[in-house]
Amino acid sequence: MKARFLSILVSIVFMLSCVNDDDYSIPTPKDGDNITIPANQLTTFKTLYSRYAQAVANGNAIAIIDEEEDLYVEGYVISSDQAGNFFKELIIQNKVDDSNPDDDPRLGIRVDVNVGSLSDTYEFGRKVYIKLNGLTIGESNGVLTLAKGEDQNLEQIQEFEYRKILIRTSEVAEIKPKVASLMDLTEADQNTLIQLNNMQLNRFELGATYASESFDEFDGFRLLESCDSGISIFLQTSTYADFKSLIVPQGKGSVTGIFSRDFGDDFNVFIINSAAAINFESNERCDPMELNCGLATTLGSANLLTEDFESQKNNKPIEIDGWTNYIEEGSEAWEAYSSTSSNASLGRSARFQSASSGDESNIGWLITPAIDLDAHQGVTLRFKTSNSLADSSFMEVLYSLDWDGTEANITSATWGVLSAAYVVKDADSFVPWFNSGSVDLSCASGTMYIAFKYTGSGQDNFDGVYELDDISIDYVP
């Protein structure tokens, strides 16, 4: 009996030792350990992009890789959830740097995984192989994503299976970001590590935290701007990030992060792994000269100028006596536009659109006739603006007190910003029109010109549309 009992006990211990205890941890490979994937089973990021594009061309929202396709793709982790700014996702790109270009350009992809603390296993720079059998390629929040799913939907890769899909190697590489200007970024740069130089926080957001303001919901958006081109992009920070309450640096310098889209796929964003990704060491900012007399509390009853563009020819450049419609770069100009669609014009409006221009840069000025501030009291400016998805292009309202009125001297004149004027923002809805407010000009003197300046390009990320109407300059008689 005793022998039988011991036999049973040994059997139980043996069986317990074989029970799956849900410990899926992967030990760190020893130095020199390698994982080899046969060459005939490896594909490229470029091919994944092509498969998705082909599926879309055929009327599908996703591309499904068959379970029987024994395919892998190789890449490097460039996101980290250690600081809480990424959650249940990995961003993986195919290259360490661009020093040895080949047929596969630097591309990236998002992997949707229903697991937290992924950086414990897949830290920044970790080389991985992704087993593609049964995965789905689609767009999530505007960027290309690998996930599971059928019937045109994306579903997260689940905890029970992700370690078999995301195969961790022994290599942790030094990732060199692509150094680029905002103007040069395209959709192909999404999901890749980018370094932007000579950047600063917009002057109106100085002193703001990354994501702890009362209006921040889910994410904080802070406007970063290029001191080289003036183009801006939103820095997106999760309200769950552990650096959310820190003040965004107020100097000028470089920032390294991942080029992406916001949750609603409405505008471009830049996402950093931690606060250390911002290196604004210089205290010399590049803020423009500005005039800010505030908003007038009363409106003068006399009028110096009114323009509603109703007399202009549709889809033709604006031509008004005394006004200047100047193309600084590119082939597009401010033109008359009329629409009754969801983002309707106000009858006929002025519009600048760089989409499909094919130009590397589009800069256009629409400048009012001269305004004699010394001959009139209480001069104010009013106008309305709207956009049709600004896509990081932007419009400024500028003034000059030394321009001589000739096109040849526009760019050499001194132009400042009328900072009290509200101009529709990239994040604003594209349906309504926004009032500038009654912009007070009475704290300036001399002869003033006011310019509505558009900056964008023919590239998809910067080809937005701005519309302008109901310009009125009034004064107190």
Side-chain angles (χ1 to χ4, degrees):
M1 184 73 172
K2 182 177 181 181
R4 184 182 176 190
F5 173 79
L6 288 174
S7 177
I8 294 172
L9 182 61
V10 169
S11 298
I12 291 172
V13 171
F14 177 79
M15 286 187 292
L16 288 174
S17 69
C18 297
V19 170
N20 186 343
D21 63 358
D22 291 331
D23 181 9
Y24 295 101
S25 61
I26 297 177
T28 302
K30 297 177 181 178
D31 291 340
D33 282 358
N34 289 306
I35 296 173
T36 303
I37 303 295
N40 62 356
Q41 294 180 14
L42 278 174
T43 189
T44 65
F45 278 56
K46 186 177 180 180
T47 300
L48 297 182
Y49 271 67
S50 296
R51 286 188 67 154
Y52 173 67
Q54 187 179 57
V56 172
N58 291 331
N60 299 307
I62 59 175
I64 300 175
I65 301 172
D66 194 271
E67 288 280 2
E68 303 304 317
E69 288 190 72
D70 209 7
L71 283 179
Y72 297 79
V73 70
E74 172 188 293
Y76 299 85
V77 177
I78 58 169
S79 64
S80 174
D81 58 15
Q82 188 171 14
N85 207 27
F86 288 90
F87 182 63
K88 294 187 175 182
E89 62 182 327
L90 286 176
I91 311 298
I92 297 173
Q93 70 178 40
N94 62 340
K95 282 187 175 184
V96 174
D97 60 56
D98 295 321
S99 58
N100 295 306
D102 54 29
D103 291 336
D104 197 17
R106 180 190 288 242
L107 296 171
I109 202 161
R110 176 177 177 265
V111 185
D112 198 359
V113 187
N114 190 22
V115 177
S117 301
L118 286 166
S119 60
D120 292 346
T121 304
Y122 306 98
E123 68 271 49
F124 183 89
R126 177 68 66 178
K127 180 180 175 181
V128 297
Y129 289 104
I130 306 174
K131 187 176 182 180
L132 298 169
N133 311 45
L135 294 189
T136 301
I137 313 169
E139 274 199 6
S140 178
N141 309 131
V143 296
L144 203 66
T145 300
L146 277 173
K148 303 285 284 197
E150 300 175 352
D151 300 326
Q152 312 300 305
N153 294 316
L154 291 179
E155 299 174 2
Q156 289 180 309
I157 297 168
Q158 296 302 312
E159 185 171 6
F160 74 88
E161 61 183 341
Y162 79 100
R163 290 179 185 269
K164 297 178 182 178
I165 294 171
L166 292 164
I167 301 171
R168 180 178 182 266
T169 75
S170 60
E171 181 182 346
V172 179
E174 179 186 357
I175 307 294
K176 295 181 180 179
K178 175 181 177 179
V179 180
S181 68
L182 276 175
M183 181 70 79
D184 294 332
L185 295 179
T186 69
E187 286 187 6
D189 293 301
Q190 291 174 358
N191 288 328
T192 65
L193 193 69
I194 302 293
Q195 178 178 314
L196 302 173
N197 293 330
N198 209 19
M199 301 290 293
Q200 67 178 23
L201 183 69
N202 181 274
R203 64 193 183 282
F204 296 118
E205 297 191 345
L206 292 177
T209 60
Y210 284 91
S212 284
E213 305 306 315
S214 60
F215 49 80
D216 292 328
E217 185 178 0
F218 304 114
D219 293 290
F221 295 95
R222 305 293 177 260
L223 198 62
L224 296 178
E225 58 190 12
S226 167
C227 289
D228 297 322
S229 65
I231 291 176
S232 59
I233 190 170
F234 281 112
L235 177 71
Q236 177 179 308
T237 305
S238 169
T239 53
Y240 293 97
D242 63 11
F243 57 94
K244 67 176 183 179
S245 297
L246 297 179
I247 303 295
V248 181
Q250 302 184 34
K252 181 181 69 173
S254 66
V255 54
T256 301
I258 296 169
F259 182 50
S260 190
R261 299 284 288 177
D262 74 299
F263 183 81
D265 189 23
D266 293 320
F267 48 85
N268 299 322
V269 296
F270 207 66
I271 308 174
I272 59 177
N273 285 316
S274 71
I278 293 184
N279 185 22
F280 289 175
E281 290 185 336
S282 174
N283 292 323
E284 296 184 7
R285 291 175 53 84
C286 61
D287 296 327
M289 177 182 74
E290 63 180 277
L291 177 69
N292 189 353
C293 311
L295 296 177
T297 55
T298 58
L299 188 65
S301 58
N303 180 263
L304 280 174
L305 180 150
T306 298
E307 186 55 61
D308 60 9
F309 306 105
E310 294 299 322
S311 64
Q312 297 298 293
K313 294 180 179 179
N314 219 30
N315 300 317
K316 299 293 183 181
I318 300 293
E319 294 182 357
I320 307 172
D321 288 343
W323 288 69
T324 302
N325 190 356
Y326 173 64
I327 300 173
E328 180 182 343
E329 292 187 17
S331 58
E332 302 297 320
W334 282 94
E335 63 180 16
Y337 170 73
S338 180
S339 172
T340 57
S341 65
S342 58
N343 54 328
S345 58
L346 298 177
R348 185 168 283 115
S349 304
R351 176 181 73 166
F352 202 107
Q353 173 178 285
S354 57
S356 303
S357 69
D359 299 324
E360 292 185 1
S361 176
N362 290 103
I363 301 177
W365 303 64
L366 187 62
I367 309 175
T368 67
I371 304 162
D372 188 350
L373 297 176
D374 295 336
H376 304 90
Q377 294 183 339
V379 179
T380 58
L381 165 70
R382 292 178 294 154
F383 58 90
K384 295 177 181 178
T385 53
S386 181
N387 66 32
S388 298
L389 302 178
D391 282 342
S392 294
S393 63
F394 64 99
M395 192 188 93
E396 302 169 281
V397 183
L398 308 178
Y399 75 96
S400 179
L401 297 170
D402 65 3
W403 181 46
D404 62 6
T406 66
E407 287 192 3
N409 293 326
I410 289 176
T411 57
S412 60
T414 304
W415 294 90
V417 176
L418 290 176
S419 54
Y422 188 85
V423 179
V424 61
K425 294 181 173 19
D426 197 357
D428 286 332
S429 170
F430 67 89
V431 176
W433 284 76
F434 292 85
N435 292 307
S436 64
S438 296
V439 182
D440 191 355
L441 304 177
S442 63
C443 62
S445 60
T447 300
M448 177 183 287
Y449 291 90
I450 296 172
F452 302 91
K453 181 183 176 185
Y454 172 97
T455 301
S457 79
Q459 297 182 18
D460 289 344
N461 290 306
F462 302 100
D463 65 353
V465 178
Y466 277 87
E467 294 161 8
L468 169 69
D469 211 341
D470 290 354
I471 300 170
S472 181
I473 297 176
D474 304 292
Y475 68 98
V476 176

